[in-house]
Amino acid sequence: MRFEIKYRDGMGRVCLLEINNKKIETPTIMPVVHPNPKKQSVPIDFIKKLADIVITNSYIIYKNKFLREIAEKLGVHKLLNFDKIVVTDSGSYQLSVYGKIDVEPNEIIEFQERIGVDVGTILDIPTPPDVDKEKAERDLEETLRRAKEAIKLREERGYRLLLNGTIQGSTYLDLRKKSAIEMSKLNFDIYPIGAVVPLMESYRFREVVEIIINSKMYLPNNKPIHLFGCGHPMFFSLAVLLGCDLFDSAAYSLYAKDGRYLTETGTLHLEEMKDLKEFPCSCPVCLEYKPNELYNLDEKERERLLAEHNLYVTFEEINKIKEAIKEGSLWEFVEKRVRAHPKLLEAYRILKNYMEYIEKFDPVTKKSAFFYTGIESLYRPEVLRHKKRLKRIKYNKVYITNISSKVERPYSEHINIVKTDVDILIKHPIFGLIPYYIDTIYPLSQHEAPELYDFEKNINDRFIEEFINWLRKKIGEENILDIRSYNYYTSLFSEDFDSNAYRIRKMLQYQYGYDILEGVNVRVIRSKNTGRLRKVLNENGDLLFSIRSHDNFLIPSKLGAKLLWEKIPFPKYRVVVNKEAEPFVKKGRNVFAKFIVDADEELRPYEEVIVVNENDELLAYGTNILNGVEMREFNNGLAVKVRGGIYE
Ligand code: GUN
Ligand code: ZN
């Protein structure tokens, strides 16, 4: 199996997943198909057009003499007439509904291997919500025992079957954590999060979110996560944001049986829609039929067409989510979706409590601007990271001030009067404090917000107070001045002060946490057309850094990379590769995860890093795709997109 991150946002990721030479892109949805075509509401030929992975139930096949014979003789792919990836469930669902089933845990593993399933599932015990803790613990112990047995059986017999190792623990977060820790020790291929269906059905989304996070935090990052039984598109984006990669949907068909029409924000009853002139969707079904026409069809036909529509919107939502990840607008996408229902918004608000963890996975730069969509945006990882990175700057003398929200951003490009080595920190309702000299960096200028209510503006007061306290300890009370208006800056003008060079120095402190230009004389070039900062040269006129226009990150040249290597102590901002990779990386080839021996654990995705060997000799420089933690876990895929090697 191969699993590689291609694009990312939040904890969400677009990945390549390859199973038995069949490649798919995640996040994706696995339609649930019934092994008996007569019981399947939508023909498999239709499913094939949308899906390249499906899930069916091995227990149903096992219990049906006719289906079982075909599967044993021809394999599950022929039985379903589907030659792409086939995942099977084990009968756990039947166990949760009927209380007992008629198969032994390892018997169903053997059977899944025998019928040629791509990914099988252990016979885990889906413990319902709110049971006694003792019961949840007992069930979990049994699931863990079965998990170990299944892995042992696979090893002993040399099975090729990949396995789902489901996380259980009911609504007890400490049990979910324990489940994740124990299951991680076993070599499962995919980790489903189980027994969330009853919670989903009763709109207990907040608990689902807590279960996902408390499982995900202790699961390996290099394995796909499947949210078992979540088929409603309105929850997908939030689950993807938290790192879920796979979904299964029986909902498309179950809802159709019940006359229900799925949308990305909820479910409608066809009966209530029959007086609408048009459907609010442009899938082939909704283009062909008017609501009353569809409503008046005979039952079987109506059910099939409704199921088709439901499947279209399900895939459409997944496609939109993938695009949002690529654009760096997944947070905005989720913030839009969660406003479809207060229970979703409540679930989203819980993320605030986990933002320290989530921030580690969130890219430091994005294509899209940061949109403030409501008070929840104040707790996003971009804001949290800025507040932490503010402490990276070396302050001398600080003025704290307000600026009218009418002043155009970036301030530093519109208030030209400031020419001083005083650090001016501008109070800001979203980011808390914005240092005047670095305010062109993403997201400090790349954000949009409405004029906030007064109470929203005050939310950062505590942060500002704490930050000033920190500053007091650092530089002393006498070096901090709280001033009211930026007009005061006129007195900060000094003709021969090179504020451009000073700004670049501050920007590098913020980007790396070290004073890269200490003792280095530089010349800063602005664009002739736009007047914007463009290039940083050394005394000889050689390029050290270019300033990337969309986010104002400083992008090192080879000389710049050498400077970073000199000024930043090991292992900070470094990715360490083995001997085998060294000659290739030096010539500027990309760094793949399998060659990594170590990395700065604090690296966030999309930073500008240096690549070194085990003796800390500089080899190359580039942009990291994986964060510092993932660098150690992943064994395939791109880890650093190299800009240049030192031998190039
Ligand atoms: N389908 C929905 N939930 C579950 C679960 O918890 N375990 C299994 N095996 N299948 C499921
Ligand atoms: Zn439609």
Side-chain angles (χ1 to χ4, degrees), residues 172-444:
Y172 298 98
L173 298 180
D174 57 332
L175 294 185
R176 292 282 179 172
K177 170 178 171 180
K178 178 175 180 204
S179 177
I181 290 172
E182 293 304 316
M183 294 298 277
S184 297
K185 294 178 188 163
L186 305 170
N187 191 22
F188 283 101
D189 303 282
I190 297 179
Y191 287 97
I193 295 170
V196 297
V197 175
L199 297 171
M200 292 292 300
E201 283 171 347
S202 47
Y203 279 47
R204 291 166 66 177
F205 300 130
R206 182 175 56 78
E207 283 152 287
V208 179
V209 160
E210 299 222 67
I211 287 169
I212 295 173
I213 301 178
N214 282 279
S215 307
K216 175 84 188 167
M217 283 201 283
Y218 305 99
L219 286 170
N221 290 301
N222 61 344
K223 301 284 173 76
I225 306 296
H226 167 194
L227 189 58
F228 231 142
C230 167
H232 203 304
M234 73 179 177
F235 197 73
F236 288 170
S237 60
L238 183 51
V240 169
L241 182 74
L242 298 175
C244 294
D245 307 290
L246 293 165
F247 300 90
D248 58 283
S249 173
Y252 77 97
S253 156
L254 294 174
Y255 281 49
K257 278 193 179 48
D258 207 21
R260 290 195 283 174
Y261 179 98
L262 283 183
T263 80
E264 69 280 10
T265 52
T267 319
L268 302 167
H269 282 272
L270 187 59
E271 190 173 3
E272 294 163 3
M273 301 176 81
K274 65 182 193 293
D275 298 327
L276 293 181
K277 251 180 95 189
E278 305 283 346
F279 279 119
C281 166
S282 28
C283 81
V285 175
C286 297
L287 287 180
E288 183 157 346
Y289 297 89
K290 299 270 179 260
N292 70 335
E293 290 169 359
L294 190 63
Y295 183 73
N296 289 319
L297 291 177
D298 80 72
E299 198 184 317
K300 269 278 149 236
E301 183 73 351
R302 184 175 63 210
E303 182 187 320
R304 178 179 66 82
L305 289 164
L306 254 185
E308 287 187 9
H309 156 83
N310 288 347
L311 208 52
Y312 275 121
V313 281
T314 303
F315 276 94
E316 182 173 277
E317 182 69 355
I318 288 287
N319 290 335
K320 285 181 181 164
I321 292 167
K322 287 201 271 195
E323 285 313 308
I325 292 175
K326 291 179 189 171
E327 289 302 311
S329 59
L330 184 60
W331 288 94
E332 283 79 7
F333 189 93
V334 170
E335 290 187 341
K336 190 164 61 186
R337 284 292 181 260
V338 296
R339 280 169 174 79
H341 196 288
K343 294 278 188 197
L344 282 172
L345 185 57
E346 176 183 284
Y348 179 66
R349 288 181 166 202
I350 285 295
L351 269 52
K352 172 173 173 282
N353 302 342
Y354 297 95
M355 219 38 100
E356 291 271 344
Y357 182 74
I358 297 171
E359 187 273 321
K360 296 180 193 298
F361 297 85
D362 192 67
V364 292
T365 179
K366 306 186 183 189
K367 275 193 204 164
S368 304
F370 175 109
F371 279 12
Y372 184 92
T373 71
I375 205 156
E376 298 78 19
S377 306
L378 287 173
Y379 304 102
R380 279 177 48 175
E382 298 91 331
V383 176
L384 179 67
R385 178 180 302 129
H386 168 70
K387 290 178 176 174
K388 291 181 163 224
R389 292 198 169 184
L390 267 180
K391 293 191 176 170
R392 288 178 159 198
I393 294 175
K394 313 273 179 285
Y395 299 97
N396 306 313
K397 196 174 176 62
V398 173
Y399 289 169
I400 309 228
T401 186
N402 289 304
I403 261 187
S404 151
S405 58
K406 309 251 167 4
V407 178
E408 239 185 292
R409 282 177 291 127
Y411 309 127
S412 56
E413 297 293 329
H414 289 96
I415 319 168
N416 291 319
I417 49 171
V418 183
K419 274 191 141 199
T420 173
D421 63 353
V422 173
D423 289 298
I424 298 161
L425 301 183
I426 298 158
K427 289 184 188 168
H428 191 274
I430 299 170
F431 294 99
L433 291 163
I434 296 184
Y436 169 88
Y437 277 139
I438 67 157
D439 78 337
T440 53
I441 300 181
Y442 173 89
L444 305 176

Side-chain angles (χ1 to χ4, degrees), residues 89-90 92-93 121-122 124 126 166 168 194-195 197 228-229:
D89 201 351
S90 53
S92 293
Y93 176 75
T121 305
I122 59 166
D124 56 284
T166 318
Q168 296 293 352
V197 175
F228 231 142

